[in-house]
Amino acid sequence: MQQISTKVLIIGAGTGGYVAGIRCGQLGLDTVLVDGGDGLGGTCLNVGCIPSKAIIHAASKFETVAKAADGGTLGITASKAAIDLKATVAWKDGIVRKLNTGVAGLLKKAKVKVINGWATFSDARTCTVKTADGDITITAEHVILATGSDPVELPFLPFGGDVLSSTEALSLDTVPGKLVVVGGGYIGLELGIAFRKLGAEVAIVEMADRLLPLYDKALTDPVRKWLETHGVELHLGAKAGTFEKGQLDVTTKDGQALKLKADKVLVTVGRKPRTQGWGLENMAVAMAGPFVKIDDRCATSMKNVWAVGDLTGEPMLAHKGSAQGEIVAEIIAGHDKRFDPVTIAAVCFTEPEIVSAGLGPQDVDGRDDVITAVFPLMAIGRALAIEAGDDGGFVRVLASKTDHRLLGVQAVGQHVSELSNSFAQMLEMGAVLEDVAGTIHVHPTMGEAFHEASLRALGHAIHI
């Protein structure tokens, strides 16, 4: 059996793990990265963020062509739209391969040794990796756990056949005639909307009384309006049951039993940390519920064992894992670092898109020391010019009345995901309303709505 001793051992090659590996390499740390999951880039690159956004983009392109064929749009007409989903998926897979190759190149440049295989720990800093060429025992001074997460499977709707997780949904070779989505969170809505644009009949079953329950109603109303306008069947406050003979059993909010016809059932009821099957129980690290417990340095309760990404809890977002991975590498190299962000912005790539950073209305309910100002996208020239101003979209700012410091920024509308970094940057820098108002925003852009919302909070918006 081959034996390896290293300074840093990273388990998991997702956005947390591979970023940690690259940064460790840049800092001159001898590093081994074990990839036993979805491939370099992890869930996000291979079966999550990137491929889903590719399919969402393709669906929007198809919708545009379909509109042009159905009476025209913007003076543009076209012949009847058609899609070869198998070819679309092949295009998506090409993007994934290109990014996989890029990550591999970056790790090689950073002199990180990548081992493909499944690791099992016997103690906190020793694991055995089963590879195609035999077993390898690795001992390390530092271990970074970045194992990621898996889709939650319902016991009465196990994955397989026509019951899909998001992974299988992104690899379908034909558009299902009827798709039922179980779960009205961001993953279910993103994919449900994409398949509706591609021509599927879509129904959504959600246990909560409204969609995207973690966001306030003002942000989600434009999404619900789009769904209703485009014929998506909504069953809110409802519970899904078993799926047999092409029918999904559903119990409505009023207790009525329904049978929804479906060619495919997409189950998107959340994700769970990947804690099983690799010897976590032998590492003696403390847990926080289903997650590995960490402090503000991403350190676990076991000395020199660190954890990043979905394994450590909410928010389960790729960019959080990347930031944590970078910080842990720098701490191991002797830098004084803490993971203490002011905000981690979240985006729903629905139709329209939703962005939230910092505090929202639900977080300041009842407080009289907060200014809230909303600016509609319909008053922004760029939004109107790209058909993004007529869906009820807006940018909203929340700030302290006493010192005008920004507390939160939200937006809903087409293309507002591109504003998320500006929102997060201003919050992280501790900006006040006057900082945003005093920054000359480029015209014509969607970002002008952030400027105008801040001006409105100060009492002197220009274009409303």
Side-chain angles (χ1 to χ4, degrees):
M1 181 184 294
Q2 184 182 355
Q3 295 188 346
I4 296 175
S5 180
T6 185
K7 175 77 172 181
V8 182
L9 168 63
I10 303 170
I11 305 299
T15 49
Y18 88 73
V19 169
I22 291 170
R23 189 68 183 119
C24 282
Q26 290 173 341
L27 292 165
L29 303 174
D30 182 31
T31 303
V32 173
L33 172 64
V34 177
D35 170 29
D38 300 304
L40 296 179
T43 295
C44 176
L45 193 155
N46 292 279
V47 294
C49 314
I50 301 302
S52 67
K53 302 315 168 284
I55 295 297
I56 288 168
H57 174 71
S60 293
K61 290 284 189 182
F62 178 80
E63 183 188 37
T64 299
V65 176
K67 284 181 179 178
D70 185 22
T73 178
L74 309 179
I76 302 168
T77 57
S79 58
K80 185 178 180 180
I83 185 165
D84 179 351
L85 189 59
K86 187 175 182 179
T88 304
V89 169
W91 165 76
K92 176 265 294 181
D93 290 342
I95 294 170
V96 170
R97 285 193 298 272
K98 184 181 294 185
L99 292 172
N100 281 145
T101 301
V103 171
L106 292 169
L107 288 166
K108 183 177 181 180
K109 181 180 179 182
K111 298 181 180 179
V112 175
K113 181 177 179 60
V114 177
I115 297 176
N116 296 307
W118 190 262
T120 304
F121 281 85
S122 55
D123 60 46
R125 287 183 290 279
T126 306
C127 73
T128 298
V129 182
K130 291 189 177 298
T131 75
D133 299 320
D135 293 354
I136 303 173
T137 297
I138 305 175
T139 58
E141 183 179 338
H142 293 268
V143 172
I144 303 175
L145 301 176
T147 55
S149 62
D150 292 307
V152 172
E153 186 176 44
L154 295 173
F156 50 88
L157 280 175
F159 296 134
D162 291 328
V163 179
L164 316 174
S165 73
S166 56
T167 298
E168 293 79 40
L170 291 168
S171 296
L172 292 173
D173 56 9
T174 58
V175 178
K178 294 181 181 293
L179 174 69
V180 176
V181 180
V182 178
Y186 75 95
I187 297 174
L189 288 184
E190 286 182 2
L191 294 179
I193 288 170
F195 278 104
R196 181 68 191 106
K197 288 181 178 182
L198 291 172
E201 294 181 25
V202 177
I204 296 173
V205 179
E206 166 58 43
M207 286 186 65
D209 289 334
R210 64 182 186 84
L211 302 169
L212 297 168
L214 295 180
Y215 294 89
D216 65 87
K217 187 172 180 293
L219 287 175
T220 61
D221 274 351
V223 177
R224 177 164 180 163
K225 179 182 176 182
W226 188 96
L227 293 168
E228 292 173 344
T229 300
H230 290 78
V232 175
E233 192 176 324
L234 299 178
H235 299 276
L236 304 179
K239 295 181 180 180
T242 57
F243 177 63
E244 293 179 333
K245 297 179 180 178
Q247 293 185 319
L248 178 70
D249 291 326
V250 174
T251 304
T252 70
K253 183 178 181 180
D254 300 327
Q256 181 183 358
L258 295 178
K259 287 187 179 294
L260 299 181
K261 292 183 179 179
D263 298 305
K264 303 288 182 183
V265 175
L266 171 59
V267 179
T268 58
V269 293
R271 297 186 66 85
K272 60 182 179 180
R274 191 175 291 159
T275 57
Q276 303 297 313
W278 49 270
L280 176 63
E281 63 277 6
N282 299 323
M283 301 185 74
V285 298
M287 303 295 289
F291 302 104
V292 171
K293 185 178 181 179
I294 58 171
D295 62 15
D296 63 354
R297 299 167 70 244
C298 299
T300 71
S301 59
M302 177 61 70
K303 184 179 179 182
N304 289 356
V305 176
W306 317 81
V308 302
D310 290 359
L311 189 64
T312 66
E314 298 288 352
M316 296 169 79
L317 298 171
H319 42 290
K320 182 196 80 171
S322 295
Q324 289 177 319
E326 187 174 354
I327 283 172
V328 168
E330 293 176 354
I331 291 172
I332 293 172
H335 300 189
D336 183 13
K337 290 282 186 173
R338 293 288 188 277
F339 182 71
D340 185 26
V342 172
T343 186
I344 302 175
V347 176
C348 293
F349 290 87
T350 45
E351 186 67 54
E353 296 173 347
I354 297 175
V355 177
S356 182
L359 300 182
Q362 67 274 24
D363 301 309
V364 298
D365 187 37
R367 290 175 54 175
D368 60 3
D369 62 338
V370 176
I371 305 168
T372 301
V374 174
F375 194 87
L377 293 181
M378 65 182 299
I380 296 296
R382 173 66 171 167
L384 294 178
I386 59 174
E387 298 183 285
D390 57 357
D391 54 13
F394 61 84
V395 173
R396 178 176 62 208
V397 298
L398 289 80
S400 167
K401 277 185 181 179
T402 55
D403 61 6
H404 291 178
R405 191 165 303 279
L406 283 175
L407 302 175
V409 192
Q410 293 84 41
V412 57
Q414 292 182 51
H415 311 295
V416 295
S417 58
E418 298 302 328
L419 304 181
S420 57
N421 294 317
S422 178
F423 296 168
Q425 182 182 37
M426 285 294 185
L427 287 165
E428 199 67 42
M429 293 177 65
V432 295
L433 291 169
E434 287 83 358
D435 291 324
V436 184
T439 300
I440 299 174
H441 285 65
V442 174
H443 174 78
T445 63
M446 299 288 284
E448 290 177 276
F450 186 20
H451 182 243
E452 289 277 8
S454 299
L455 288 174
R456 194 173 195 185
L458 293 169
H460 51 86
I462 301 298
H463 290 97
I464 196 169

